Structures are given as C-alpha cells and as structure tokens.
C-alpha cells in the first residue's frame, strides 16, 4: 500500500493535538471529582446551604455539547482516555451496558441458526486488496503492521477494519455442496479503523467493539429475508433496549457498503447537535465476493453455482448514541433495560436516631435489597457511612441509575420509602410491602416513556419539503430533511457541496426510508428538478 500523504499526516497530527487537549481537560475534571469523593463532600449542610460535591458537570448540554459529552463519559466512569489518540478504556459501567446488548442480540441470532466463531485480526495484504471496490472503501482507514522487532516483514499485514477478506477464503473451502448451506457465522471482536476525523468516545474511535455476521445462502430470496430480519433486531436494540428511536431504510449507491449489492440501515439523530448517526447496517453482498473468492456450491442438479452473501454489524457506538439522546445536565440517564444498576437504595440515618432505630433501618434496607434482587431487579444498597446523602444522590444521578429509593427516619416511622425517577425527578411514597411490585412497574413505565419522549423529539426534527429553498435553513436549524430525490450520485454530491454553511458541513443522504410518504405523480427532485424516485432523508451526520 502507498505511504500516507503529507497532508494526511498533518491532518492526523492536528486532530491528535485536539484530542490530547480534550483528554487533559477531562482528566483534570476527573481528578477534581475523585479528590472531592475522597473528601466526602456532600450537599445539604446546615441552614440548607449547598456544598460543592465535586461531581457535577461544569457545562450544560445545550451550551457546549462537546465538552458536556466529554465530561459525562469520564465523570460517570464510562471511559478513561488512553495514550493513543482515538483509543479508549471502557470501564465496567460502559462495558456492562455493551454486555446487555451482546447477551440480548446473541440470543436472538442463535434463534435464527447463527453460530459464533472467531477469526484472526490480521489480514494479509494480498487478501485485503483482492476485492477492488472493497479495499478502496477502507484503504484510508487501514492500519498496517510492517515490522517485527527490527526486521521488516516480507509482506505488510493489515489490522482488520472488517473481516470479509479474512473469512471468505475459508468459506470457499468449507462450502462445497448445497448441503453446506446456509452457512451462518458471527463473531464478537474488535476492529481498527485509523480515521482522520476528530475522535469521539464510542461514536468515532480508532478501535471499537462490534459483532459482525457473515452468512452465505443458495438463493437471493434467503439472503434478502435475513437482511431485513437482522435490521429488525438492530431496530429493537435501539428502541426496545436503549429507548432510542431510529428510522429504517436503504442507503444510496454512494453510501452503501463498498463492494456490496445494497445496504440497509437504522439511522438515529442527535437533536442537540442536529446530526444524524448511522446506528447499524445490514448488507446484502450479492455474489460479488463469492466471485472474488470462488465461493461455489454444487446444486441438486450437479450444477456449480455462486452463493449469495450477507454481512451485518452493530458496534459500541450504540452506547454513545444512548448517552447523547438521554443524558442531561446532571449526567447520564440510563434506560432501565440496559442500566448495570437499575435501583440504588440509600438509607438516611441522622444523629437523633438511637441504636435500635439505626438497627431497624439497616434491617429494613437489607430486607428490601434481598426482595428486589430475588425479583430480578439489578439493585445496589449504598450504606456507606463516609458520604453524605447529598453526595450519594449526586453520584448516582451522574451515573444515570434509573430509580433511587430513599429510606429516612420519617419513612421508618411510616413504613414507607421514597422512590425517585432519574429521568423526570418524580417522587412516589411507597409502602414497604408494595415496593418490589412498584419498582418493577416503574422501571417498565420509565423505559416506555423514555422512548416515547425521544421518538417525539425525533419526529419533530424531520422537516418535509419539496423545495431547495427550505433545505439549508432546515439543516442550520438542526433538523433532518425528508425530500424527493432523483437518486443520482452526481446530484447527491452537488447537494453536499451546496449545503455547506458557517453553521455546519454539507448534508448527505442518511437513508431512503422504507416507509414512504405518498409521492404525487410528476414530483420533481428538490435539488435538480429531475423526476423524483423516492422520498429521501438528508442531514448532517457524524
């Protein structure tokens, strides 16, 4: 492969300088929070005067989204910055969310007959360059290993940006007959894409975690069906697990997977930034890779035929989208289905309580912890004595725990607890014997309401127009645009160039939605005036 151009190297260094500054700023904020934690600072001092907890965010989401996001992911203990630009340490609070997604999705694809495997992360140069369109699509992002110790390798080895070229030579060996089909494999792994765009934790990193499914079928009909089945699962990951609305559609020819036949996608949108974000893609590869790698089978009539292939993947980007959509000025707001801890129980003793009352409070808390865990609720009893209740409230709010249960002296007298929701702040007074049932119901209600609010906001961010004059103003107002399009690549490129403004980059096609509004006969493309084919969703994007 050719060496990196000088302008690309300069761009990379500039981006790395930016990220180092962001990392330094986030690290200082994290150290400040840790120092405050060690000091046990809290809120609710004498006379109602509020003390500094050291946990709060220093910027608001709507005022400086970039700094807000950097603070949230570090202060909420989601990530730590690493010494290599674009690479991040996923701390348990983030990794456990990924595990929730992984466990759900893995169970669903196994119902479809998909089996897990693992392939090496290194790709021979000869294999990677075998499929021309494919390698051109990934070439700028490929990281290469060229030395072993002080010795140059005979052939450069790529670190996988994706695994088609690793897996398919073996598919050609394994598939001989129609009896070997369908072949459905998936792997959970990491990939490396050495991007030059500004790295953002979870959203755009140089190493990330994902699953990649690679399947082979005898017929296109089978492949087409699986593409849509998988896309449906991706939609469920976002909407049912993460409470994030997405739009399903197909990518344009320009935006489809390099070397594939067509690409379907679930597209999200971040209202705070006015930018769309690709959530997950399910590709029909057609027979192109089969031809390149000689993946053939003998049919029942003894004829040799090429297989039809799919590939599909979803990544840890899911976590970043969830943070951006639901987070607020206090920190994370986690949907109950993926929250590592769904409920935190905080006993609130005071100096006026005698030892018997304190013992009673501890027993009630322990009983409630036992009952909630027995009911399958992921809960944590925070009975640490070195931290004030105010500090604990701030700590768990920052981490986005869906429900907080407060057990104070008055609650002890009344036989009740206070249950507070993280998303709305709503507080309910619940009797001890009803706490488990109430918590279970409230978690389900919160999950549904978070999705409903996010969906309303998503829909409110779509502007439907048939005129170019409305297009750029809508983008500058942080909206997506649904407009009739002629589906010509040249027009798509012109739109991107013409829509650049001081407020943002040019727009691209996000997807051609499967659910199409009615298009009156004779409708023209909003950008070219040529006959329109379908309504297309446009927007600025990550």
């Amino acid at each position: 492969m050719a060496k990196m151009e000088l302008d690309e190297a300069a761009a990379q260094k500039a981006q790395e300088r930016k990220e180092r500054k962001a990392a330094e700023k986030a690290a200082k904020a994290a150290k400040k929070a840790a120092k405050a934690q060690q000091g046990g600072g809290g809120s609710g001092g004498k006379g109602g005067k509020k003390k500094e907890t050291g946990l709060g965010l220093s910027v608001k989401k709507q005022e400086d989204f970039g700094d807000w996001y950097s603070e949230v992911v570090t202060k909420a203990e989601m990530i730590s910055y690493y010494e290599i630009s674009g690479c991040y340490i996923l701390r348990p609070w983030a990794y456990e969310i990924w595990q929730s997604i992984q466990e759900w999705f893995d169970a669903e694809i196994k119902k479809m007959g998909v089996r897990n495997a693992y392939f090496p992360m290194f790709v021979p140069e000869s294999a990677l360059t075998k499929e021309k369109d494919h390698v051109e699509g990934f070439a700028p992002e490929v990281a290469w290993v060229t030395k072993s110790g002080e010795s140059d390798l005979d052939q450069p080895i790529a670190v996988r940006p994706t695994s088609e070229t690793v897996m398919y030579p073996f598919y050609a060996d394994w598939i001989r007959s129609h009896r070997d089909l369908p072949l459905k494999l998936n792997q959970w792994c990491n990939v490396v894409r050495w991007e030059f765009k500004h790295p953002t934790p979870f959203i755009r990193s140089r190493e990330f975690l994902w699953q990649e499914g690679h399947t082979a079928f005898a017929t296109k009909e089978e492949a087409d069906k699986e593409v849509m089945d998988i896309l449906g699962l991706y939609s469920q990951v976002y909407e049912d697990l993460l409470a994030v609305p997405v739009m399903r559609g197909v990518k344009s020819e320009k935006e489809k997977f390099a070397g594939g036949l067509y690409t379907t996608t679930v597209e999200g949108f971040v209202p705070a930034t006015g930018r769309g974000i690709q959530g997950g893609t399910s590709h029909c590869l057609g027979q192109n890779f089969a031809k390149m790698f000689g993946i053939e089978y003998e049919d029942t009539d003894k004829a040799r035929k090429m297989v039809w292939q799919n590939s599909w993947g979803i990544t840890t980007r899911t976590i970043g989208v969830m943070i951006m959509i639901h987070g607020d000025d206090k920190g994370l707001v986690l949907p109950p289905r993926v929250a590592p801890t769904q409920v935190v129980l905080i006993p609130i003793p005071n100096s006026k309580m005698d030892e018997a009352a304190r013992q009673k409070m501890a027993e009630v808390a322990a009983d409630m912890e036992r009952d909630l865990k027995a009911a399958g609720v992921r809960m944590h009893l925070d009975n640490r004595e070195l931290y004030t209740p105010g500090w604990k409230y701030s700590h768990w709010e920052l981490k986005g725990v869906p429900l907080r249960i407060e057990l104070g002296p008055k609650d002890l007298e009344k036989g009740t607890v206070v249950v507070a929701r993280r998303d709305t702040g709503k507080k309910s007074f619940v009797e001890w014997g009803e706490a488990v049932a109430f918590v279970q119901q409230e978690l389900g209600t919160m999950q549904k309401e978070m999705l409903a609010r996010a969906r309303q906001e998503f829909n409110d961010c779509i502007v439907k127009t048939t005129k170019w004059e409305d297009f750029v103003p809508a983008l500058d107002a942080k909206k997506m645009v649904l407009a009739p399009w002629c589906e010509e690549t040249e027009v798509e490129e012109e739109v991107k160039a013409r829509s650049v403004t001081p407020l943002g980059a040019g727009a691209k096609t996000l997807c051609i939605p499967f659910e199409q509004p009615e298009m009156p006969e004779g409708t023209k493309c909003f950008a070219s005036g040529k006959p329109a084919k379908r309504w297309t969703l446009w927007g600025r994007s990550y």
Side-chain angles (χ1 to χ4, degrees):
M1 299 294 290
K3 291 184 177 180
M4 185 187 300
E5 298 291 340
L6 291 177
D7 57 343
E8 291 180 335
Q12 179 185 9
K13 289 180 179 179
Q15 294 297 348
E16 290 178 347
R17 282 196 297 270
K18 288 181 182 178
E19 173 146 341
R20 277 197 297 272
K21 289 182 180 178
E24 289 169 1
K25 183 175 182 179
K28 287 179 181 178
K31 287 179 180 178
K32 183 179 178 182
K35 186 175 180 181
Q37 179 174 340
Q38 291 169 1
S43 61
K46 291 182 180 180
K49 185 178 179 181
K50 192 171 183 179
K51 295 180 181 179
E52 175 62 48
T53 65
L55 294 172
L57 305 179
S58 65
V59 292
K60 296 186 180 299
K61 184 177 182 180
Q62 297 298 331
E63 293 177 0
D64 190 333
F65 185 85
D67 281 354
W68 169 85
Y69 184 76
S70 295
E71 281 200 353
V72 167
V73 296
T74 51
K75 286 190 172 185
E77 300 176 342
M78 299 287 278
I79 65 120
S80 285
Y81 284 93
Y82 192 57
E83 294 172 312
I84 298 175
S85 174
C87 298
Y88 309 96
I89 296 166
L90 299 191
R91 300 183 67 178
W93 201 246
Y95 194 80
E96 286 165 10
I97 295 173
W98 178 240
Q99 284 181 306
S100 293
I101 296 170
Q102 181 181 27
E103 288 167 7
W104 182 88
F105 185 79
D106 198 63
E108 292 299 315
I109 60 175
K110 283 176 179 173
K111 294 176 187 176
M112 298 170 58
V114 179
R115 302 176 69 188
N116 286 320
Y118 184 80
F119 288 77
M121 67 184 298
F122 298 115
V123 191
E125 182 181 26
S126 57
L128 188 65
T129 57
K130 196 165 187 176
E131 210 294 313
K132 180 175 178 293
D133 291 337
H134 180 72
V135 71
E136 285 182 356
F138 284 101
E141 302 172 355
V142 175
W144 294 93
V145 179
T146 60
K147 296 178 74 71
S148 171
E150 297 299 320
S151 304
D152 292 332
L153 299 180
D154 293 336
Q155 180 184 145
I157 297 172
V159 182
R160 64 175 167 229
T162 180
S163 297
E164 282 80 1
T165 54
V166 178
M167 300 168 77
Y168 295 168
F170 296 92
Y171 280 36
D173 287 340
W174 298 341
I175 297 173
R176 299 295 182 185
S177 163
H178 63 91
R179 299 181 186 87
D180 300 320
L181 295 173
L183 178 61
K184 302 180 181 182
L185 298 183
N186 174 72
Q187 68 170 351
W188 296 91
C189 63
N190 64 337
V191 291
V192 173
R193 297 182 184 176
W194 213 259
E195 303 205 41
F196 290 100
K197 293 181 181 179
H198 184 55
T200 303
F202 299 114
I203 301 298
R204 190 173 293 282
S205 55
R206 287 176 173 162
E207 179 188 11
F208 54 87
L209 303 179
W210 77 347
Q211 58 73 213
E212 52 176 323
H214 296 269
T215 53
F217 300 90
T219 66
K220 183 175 184 294
E221 289 74 21
E222 292 175 280
D224 288 339
K225 182 181 183 304
E226 188 201 57
V227 165
M228 296 306 298
D229 288 344
I230 292 295
L231 196 71
L233 294 182
Y234 289 160
S235 179
Q236 286 184 264
V237 166
Y238 277 97
E239 298 190 340
D240 295 351
L241 272 64
L242 303 174
V244 170
V246 291
M247 182 174 287
R248 288 189 255 183
V250 63
K251 288 288 190 181
S252 68
E253 283 296 304
K254 182 176 184 295
E255 295 293 330
K256 75 177 184 180
F257 182 73
L261 182 61
Y262 66 86
T263 291
T264 65
T265 181
V266 289
E267 295 288 324
F269 188 73
V270 181
T273 61
R275 295 167 76 180
I277 187 159
Q278 181 177 286
T281 47
S282 182
H283 317 283
C284 180
L285 303 181
Q287 295 180 307
N288 191 28
F289 285 90
K291 292 173 183 176
M292 290 296 104
F293 292 93
I295 309 175
E296 299 179 334
Y297 69 97
E298 185 177 84
D299 204 351
T300 53
D301 59 5
K302 304 300 182 182
R304 301 295 299 174
K305 295 182 179 179
M306 294 286 177
V307 300
W308 291 85
Q309 291 178 265
N310 294 336
S311 69
W312 28 274
I314 196 169
T315 79
T316 39
R317 171 177 281 194
T318 49
I319 300 172
V321 178
M322 176 200 68
I323 296 169
M324 290 180 167
I325 297 298
H326 299 306
D328 62 18
D329 292 341
K330 292 182 179 180
L332 298 175
V333 181
L334 296 181
R337 286 196 65 176
V338 297
T341 298
Q342 295 172 313
V343 179
V344 59
L345 171 56
I346 302 177
I348 313 171
N350 64 28
S351 57
K352 297 179 181 179
M353 294 174 63
D354 59 25
E355 186 59 34
R358 287 178 176 271
Q359 182 63 30
K360 176 66 174 176
M361 180 176 285
E363 290 173 359
V364 171
D367 289 345
M368 199 166 292
E369 176 189 23
R370 181 197 64 227
D371 293 344
L372 284 167
K373 287 183 175 179
V377 176
R378 296 188 294 276
M379 73 87 59
H380 174 70
L381 172 59
D382 189 348
N383 53 9
R384 295 174 292 176
E385 296 181 356
L386 296 178
Y387 301 97
T388 67
W391 187 93
K392 293 178 184 179
Y393 292 174
S394 296
H395 174 73
W396 294 111
E397 283 178 342
L398 179 60
K399 293 176 78 67
V401 172
L403 296 181
R404 180 180 73 241
I405 299 178
E406 304 166 10
L407 177 61
K410 291 183 179 179
D411 302 308
L412 201 61
E413 294 173 5
K414 297 177 181 178
T416 62
V417 290
V418 177
V419 180
R421 273 176 53 166
R422 173 63 181 86
D423 60 333
T424 63
K426 173 188 172 185
K427 290 190 175 184
S428 302
F429 295 89
V430 183
E431 293 182 5
W432 295 343
E434 299 174 359
V436 172
F438 181 85
V439 163
Q440 290 176 315
Q441 181 178 358
E442 196 74 346
L443 289 172
T445 300
M446 179 175 170
Q447 182 81 29
K448 292 176 182 177
E449 290 182 356
M450 286 182 67
L451 175 60
R453 287 194 300 270
R455 191 187 301 282
Q456 184 62 55
E457 192 171 21
F458 181 92
N459 292 338
D460 290 344
C461 287
I462 299 176
V463 173
K464 185 179 177 184
T465 185
T466 59
K467 300 184 296 183
W468 173 262
E469 290 76 16
D470 298 331
F471 185 74
V472 175
L475 296 175
D476 285 346
K478 296 184 178 180
K479 306 292 184 181
M480 297 175 282
V481 181
L482 188 65
W485 178 43
C486 61
E487 297 187 31
E488 294 183 8
T489 299
E490 183 178 342
V491 174
E492 186 174 5
E493 292 172 345
E494 289 174 357
V495 168
K496 185 173 184 178
R498 292 170 62 192
S499 57
V500 176
T501 75
L503 294 177
K508 60 188 281 190
T509 56
L510 302 177
C511 71
I512 302 169
F514 290 133
E515 294 186 9
Q516 285 280 310
E518 182 181 354
M519 181 178 287
E521 187 175 351
T523 300
K524 303 295 185 182
C525 171
F526 81 105
S528 68
K530 298 178 181 180
K533 293 183 178 180
R534 285 179 289 184
W535 291 92
T536 301
L537 190 66
W538 300 75
R540 293 177 173 136
S541 72
Y542 283 93

